[in-house]
Amino acid sequence: MITTRTHRWVVLVGGLAFAGFSWLSGCAKNPPTANVSLTGTGATLPAPLYEKWISEYAQERGVRIVYQAVGSSRGVEVMKTDLSDFGASDAPLTADEMVQAGNDVLHIPTTTTAVSIVYNIPGLSDLQLTGETLADLAAGKITRLSDPRVLQTNSGAKLPDIPLQFVHRADGSGTTKVFTQYLSLVSLTWKQTIGVRSKVLVPGLALRDGNSGVAEMVRTTPGAISYVPLNHARAFGLSVAKIWNGANAYVGPSLDSVTAATGPVSGNATASLLNSSAPGAYPISSFSYILVHEDGEDCAKRHALAQFLKWTAREGQAYAPFLHYAPLSPQAEGLALALVGKLRCQGKLLESTQQ
């Protein structure tokens, strides 16, 4: 039932073997898993972390996993078409997308990250913005650093009067969807005129493909401002703005401020972390998800996928900080493992999730 695509894949190769499970009544038994491989498609935001996981897991367990990092929009699409064993997205499926995907998609939180507001303004290292001002920048309504709305939140700072160029992602992106969800929360004008989108097209504003393309343009263009994941901001050495949060404080993106945003989550893996009122929380924080169907027919693949997802929620979290991702909080890890425990094959719970 599953087919694979052959371009732009990251491939890690090995055999696949699991052993030592007890037989559990009422569960789908562990089938032979020799020569089983898994494929995934989706989000670019967590791709460096997923690639590290795949590499380490291949060495540790001898598993072949192929991940195509082509954007969250594609990650959602494969849930509708079954072209991959799992999808990946930085935002949950909408109600309509869930229906189109069969109403059985589980959102397994894998990591937590920030959508950072990055900028290239010579001589300025501490830019502060409210959500409303950020929305006006992203809509092209603020075009100079001397705009009163920017000056108001940066009193005392020496701001050069230079033109600003906001850069948007040209491709459909979960990073963009998270960003526009935040803007729709804090700006009624944005919500009514542009809203939540995976792609934003504003006349006169620059467009670049991928987070790396956006980050590179900001790095090389004085006056440029945009949004990229925290790991891209760090990798490209970009300045990041502090954003006014739900606790009435300016907070910049960091592993600690992203983790703080997960505090209010209670039993719901798809609960929004945006504009959190938790102390010290960065307001544009989000889980990233691996998407899987709750049930499936190929039991060897289902067992292999369940074991990998359990590993990512536990051992895999140790690799996150080194790549500028925040590890799952204990509560979020518990949510992830509980969701993995729901995986079935041919209607029966997977034995491997019960260990």
Side-chain angles (χ1 to χ4, degrees):
M1 181 179 71
I2 305 295
T3 61
T4 59
R5 299 187 180 187
T6 57
H7 62 289
R8 295 175 61 188
W9 293 96
V10 176
V11 181
L12 302 220
V13 183
L16 181 62
F18 296 110
F21 296 120
S22 61
W23 298 104
L24 300 179
S25 176
C27 294
K29 309 305 182 185
N30 288 342
T33 53
N35 301 318
V36 173
S37 63
L38 299 173
T39 62
T41 302
T44 58
L45 184 153
L49 180 59
Y50 289 2
E51 290 164 14
K52 178 63 173 177
W53 282 347
I54 289 170
S55 175
E56 295 295 329
Y57 198 70
Q59 295 180 45
E60 182 178 323
R61 304 289 181 92
V63 179
R64 182 179 189 270
I65 303 175
V66 178
Y67 183 66
Q68 186 185 29
V70 289
S72 294
S73 295
R74 287 281 298 281
V76 172
E77 285 302 311
V78 298
M79 289 292 95
K80 305 173 188 177
T81 60
D82 289 338
L83 288 174
S84 293
D85 299 305
F86 63 90
S89 177
D90 303 321
L93 274 67
T94 65
D96 286 344
E97 288 169 341
M98 280 291 288
V99 170
Q100 294 168 22
N103 272 327
D104 73 335
V105 175
L106 299 176
H107 295 72
I108 314 293
T110 54
T111 189
T112 320
T113 191
V115 176
S116 305
I117 307 306
V118 294
Y119 61 92
N120 180 348
I121 300 173
L124 181 63
S125 60
D126 192 23
L127 180 64
Q128 297 184 153
L129 298 170
T130 64
E132 293 88 345
T133 299
L134 180 57
D136 285 343
L137 281 162
K141 296 179 179 179
I142 295 177
T143 59
R144 298 196 71 85
L145 201 58
S146 57
D147 187 282
R149 288 163 287 187
V150 178
L151 294 175
Q152 184 178 7
T153 59
N154 293 274
S155 58
K158 293 183 179 179
L159 303 181
D161 185 17
I162 63 173
L164 297 175
Q165 172 76 295
F166 200 93
V167 186
H168 280 287
R169 279 279 294 269
D171 51 328
S173 160
T175 307
T176 300
K177 191 169 185 179
V178 171
F179 180 59
T180 58
Q181 284 175 333
Y182 167 73
L183 295 182
S184 294
L185 279 176
V186 296
S187 169
L188 181 61
T189 300
W190 180 278
K191 180 178 180 180
Q192 291 176 340
T193 58
I194 299 176
V196 178
R197 295 178 177 271
S198 297
K199 183 188 299 186
V200 176
L201 300 176
V202 178
L205 297 189
L207 295 171
R208 287 295 183 274
D209 284 324
N211 287 312
S212 294
V214 170
E216 178 62 18
M217 183 173 182
V218 173
R219 188 185 70 83
T220 58
T221 309
I225 182 169
S226 191
Y227 56 96
V228 296
L230 177 59
N231 65 308
H232 281 76
R234 296 287 184 256
F236 283 79
L238 301 175
S239 297
V240 295
K242 294 179 180 179
I243 308 299
W244 187 253
N245 72 1
N248 298 323
Y250 287 107
V251 177
S254 68
L255 298 186
D256 287 342
S257 65
V258 171
T259 300
T262 67
V265 176
S266 179
N268 181 6
T270 59
S272 175
L273 308 182
L274 298 172
N275 208 31
S276 170
S277 59
Y282 180 68
I284 322 178
S285 299
S286 175
F287 286 130
S288 199
Y289 303 96
I290 282 181
L291 309 173
V292 295
H293 288 291
E294 187 169 343
D295 205 351
E297 296 297 319
D298 189 327
C299 292
K301 284 180 176 285
R302 300 291 289 176
H303 281 287
L305 179 57
Q307 288 299 100
F308 175 63
L309 291 173
K310 287 171 64 178
W311 183 91
T312 64
R314 291 172 174 164
E315 294 90 336
Q317 295 301 307
Y319 298 99
F322 299 101
L323 296 169
H324 305 293
Y325 298 89
L328 294 176
S329 66
Q331 183 183 37
E333 177 186 320
L335 285 173
L337 292 171
L339 288 166
V340 174
K342 293 184 177 182
L343 291 178
R344 298 173 179 269
C345 183
Q346 300 176 16
K348 294 182 178 181
L349 285 172
L350 294 179
E351 178 185 312
S352 54
T353 67
Q354 311 306 306
Q355 307 301 315

